[in-house]
Amino acid sequence: MAVSLGRDRSGHRRRRPGLRRQARLLPVLPAVVLLLVFLAGPVLWAFHASFTNAALTGRNARSPGWIGLDNYARLLSDPVLPLSLGLTVLFVGGSAILGQNLLGLTLAVLMRRARRTVAAAVGTAVVAAWVLPEIVAAFAAYAYFSRDGTLNQMLGGLGIGQTDWLYSFPMVAILLANIWRGTAFSMLVYRAALNDIPGEVTEAALMDGAGGWQRLAFITIPMIRGSIATNLMLITLQTLAVFTLIWVMTAGGPANASTTLPVLAYLEAFKFGDIGYGTAVASVLILIGVVFGAAYVRLLREGKP
């Protein structure tokens, strides 16, 4: 301890700056350890397994061997990968970046102007889908879009012919289900961000004659830019990992028409028993998430003064 302490001009002991900085890091040490064990550990294992012929059962499950880049070379020649990659981009872009984000912002803006009872009723209805357990929400969406489901019952009541939505338009049904399921998160983020805008700014814009769209485009959106980037990052990464909703509704079918990357990784690893190839697909998904996360973090930094 004598090495870590010095004395000031008055003779009092003082802690060295380096030791103070280290002491400030102590409270976050448990969180860092947990992240390393439960986040970095599985990610590193997934990357390692993608270079092996690990299997779910059999000899390769007991003693997997190193096969280098064979799984990634197989990925490049797999005809399902481009389809799965495109469906993943469509799913994230359509349901999260456009659907949840824009609908959440629209609801937050409208609820700010609506009567309190109307805002409370709309907020409760939207949040109800979000608080449901994922498996329950997935079964509810399946019951709504299935051939004998609620949607066809309503269309039949209007004299409109019934459609097997999960077979004829599987991605449309999944996109709408994920928008319904996740819009509440964006709405809550934007409601909190809008409440932080000073009333004086809005009043000054009104006195200058700015209309509703002008206030939204030139005042509201620039002032909540950080919240927009944060929301986009969170819902993008969350949607990239959606599996249960798709699996319950379509199981990736028909004919891989809704097989996103998480579903493809699951099929390869646990249905066909090829853990090595399945983790290679999962590694691609991780890299896509890293790219999206880095882009949003850069957007957040650019938004800071």
Side-chain angles (χ1 to χ4, degrees), residues 2-303:
V3 176
S4 61
L5 298 178
R7 292 179 181 276
D8 54 20
R9 292 180 178 177
S10 60
H12 294 109
R13 286 185 174 182
R14 57 180 173 79
R15 294 182 180 275
R16 292 182 176 177
L19 186 59
R20 284 202 298 269
R21 283 197 296 268
Q22 293 175 5
R24 290 171 186 167
L25 295 177
L26 284 177
V28 301
L29 186 60
V32 173
V33 172
L34 288 175
L35 284 174
L36 289 175
V37 172
F38 294 105
L39 181 63
V43 170
L44 292 176
W45 180 87
F47 278 111
H48 174 266
S50 68
F51 295 102
T52 69
N53 60 356
L56 191 62
T57 58
R59 186 181 61 182
N60 291 335
R62 187 171 58 253
S63 56
W66 183 267
I67 59 172
L69 296 173
D70 286 2
N71 283 326
Y72 292 97
R74 181 181 161 193
L75 262 179
L76 295 177
S77 60
D78 190 339
V80 180
L81 180 67
L83 172 64
S84 182
L85 196 58
L87 291 174
T88 303
V89 173
L90 173 65
F91 180 58
V92 173
S95 69
I97 297 176
L98 292 179
Q100 295 178 9
N101 183 53
L102 293 182
L103 185 58
L105 178 60
T106 303
L107 286 172
V109 172
L110 293 177
M111 288 171 67
R112 200 181 184 196
R113 302 176 181 176
R115 293 183 178 179
R116 183 170 298 181
T117 54
V118 175
V122 173
T124 303
V126 175
V127 172
W130 186 52
V131 299
L132 286 175
E134 188 175 10
I135 186 68
V136 177
F139 277 119
Y142 175 83
Y144 184 79
F145 287 105
S146 65
R147 187 174 183 81
D148 300 324
T150 309
L151 179 58
N152 275 337
Q153 295 295 330
M154 292 191 297
L155 293 177
L158 298 174
I160 301 175
Q162 297 184 351
T163 303
D164 194 341
W165 299 97
L166 298 179
Y167 185 83
S168 303
F169 307 101
M171 282 307 295
V172 173
I174 290 172
L175 284 169
L176 293 174
N178 197 51
I179 292 172
W180 163 73
R181 164 91 170 124
T183 296
F185 180 81
S186 297
M187 183 192 72
L188 294 175
V189 170
Y190 289 136
R191 285 203 71 181
L194 292 174
N195 288 335
D196 288 339
I197 297 178
E200 297 82 3
V201 176
T202 306
E203 292 174 4
L206 283 170
M207 292 179 66
D208 290 339
W213 287 108
Q214 290 174 316
R215 294 198 303 275
L216 178 66
F218 300 111
I219 296 176
T220 302
I221 290 180
M223 293 191 73
I224 63 170
R225 182 179 176 182
S227 297
I228 294 175
T230 302
N231 179 61
L232 283 174
M233 179 173 66
L234 294 176
I235 62 174
T236 298
L237 298 180
Q238 185 181 22
T239 305
L240 271 176
V242 169
F243 169 78
T244 305
L245 183 71
I246 302 173
W247 187 254
V248 169
M249 292 181 70
T250 65
N256 294 321
S258 59
T259 302
T260 57
L261 285 175
V263 176
L264 179 62
Y266 175 83
L267 288 172
E268 295 292 345
F270 296 104
K271 184 174 182 180
F272 305 122
D274 195 342
I275 298 292
Y277 189 60
T279 51
V281 177
S283 299
V284 172
L285 186 62
I286 292 172
L287 293 177
I288 293 175
V290 170
V291 170
F292 273 112
Y296 290 137
V297 168
R298 183 173 181 180
L299 184 62
L300 277 171
R301 288 179 177 173
E302 290 177 352

